[in-house]
Amino acid sequence: VVLESPRARRPHWVRAYLAPSYRTASGSEGFALELLAEILGGGDSSRLYRTLAVERKLAVGARAGYGGRSLDLTEFNLSVAPADGVVLAALETAVDEVVASLLASGVKAEELERAKTSLVSSAIYARDSLSAPAHILGAVLATGGSIADIEAWPERIAAVTADEVNQVAR
């Protein structure tokens, strides 16, 4: 699907995959998808950003996301903003190369630990916000979760193995 607007200053490329939510996932699948999103596109040290923006200068931004709090199926998405003069087809090919590299080599132990630390730290810092705890509590309770699920989330993230992340990536 191509959406165009004369008001858009920069093109943006997005790919979305249908994925299980925490509620519909089996075992630790949802938690592994959360970690995969962090490894692929969770910040400046992620594979997408580091490869496409820093090393290859093809993008000005890159991220991956997982909407695990949905009631039913959800999406895992990749999103990249191209650098000036970069055509979307070339950017799509480069994204596919990054994903293929991850599938071929698997996630590295150090990037998995970095992703776990980042996600758990974000959850801890969210408690300092006035609105974040209410938002999280409301989203979890509205989709059939419990306060115990919220409290156990850091331990569930910490327990995910590299093999589990590699399996959901495939």
Side-chain angles (χ1 to χ4, degrees):
V1 174
V2 176
L3 303 173
E4 294 183 12
S5 171
R7 295 183 299 174
R9 290 184 233 165
R10 179 178 304 278
H12 198 82
W13 179 90
V14 178
R15 178 184 291 157
Y17 298 92
L18 192 60
S21 65
Y22 285 126
R23 184 174 167 89
T24 62
S26 60
S28 62
E29 201 174 30
F31 303 99
L33 283 163
E34 193 84 57
L35 285 159
L36 178 62
E38 186 70 17
I39 291 165
L40 264 176
D44 293 349
S45 64
S46 69
R47 286 198 185 199
L48 283 171
Y49 187 85
R50 192 178 64 247
T51 303
L52 302 179
V54 177
E55 295 170 7
R56 297 181 63 187
K57 310 284 191 237
L58 295 173
V60 295
R63 67 171 299 278
Y66 169 64
R69 297 278 179 229
S70 296
L71 185 59
D72 201 359
L73 292 175
T74 189
E75 70 177 41
F76 183 95
N77 61 62
L78 307 173
S79 168
V80 184
D84 291 335
V86 175
V87 296
L88 292 180
L91 192 62
E92 182 175 16
T93 299
V95 169
D96 289 341
E97 290 168 359
V98 173
V99 171
S101 172
L102 182 133
L103 293 173
S105 66
V107 298
K108 298 175 185 152
E110 60 272 8
E111 67 187 345
L112 179 59
E113 289 308 312
R114 184 173 50 241
K116 288 178 180 183
T117 299
S118 176
L119 290 177
V120 171
S121 296
S122 294
I124 291 168
Y125 291 133
R127 293 175 183 224
D128 291 340
S129 165
L130 291 176
S131 62
H135 177 76
I136 293 166
L137 185 62
V140 171
L141 293 177
T143 57
S146 67
I147 293 172
D149 293 331
I150 297 168
E151 293 298 323
W153 187 86
E155 291 81 25
R156 298 287 309 269
I157 287 290
V160 174
T161 67
D163 286 341
E164 291 170 319
V165 176
N166 291 328
Q167 185 174 341
V168 297
R170 285 189 294 277

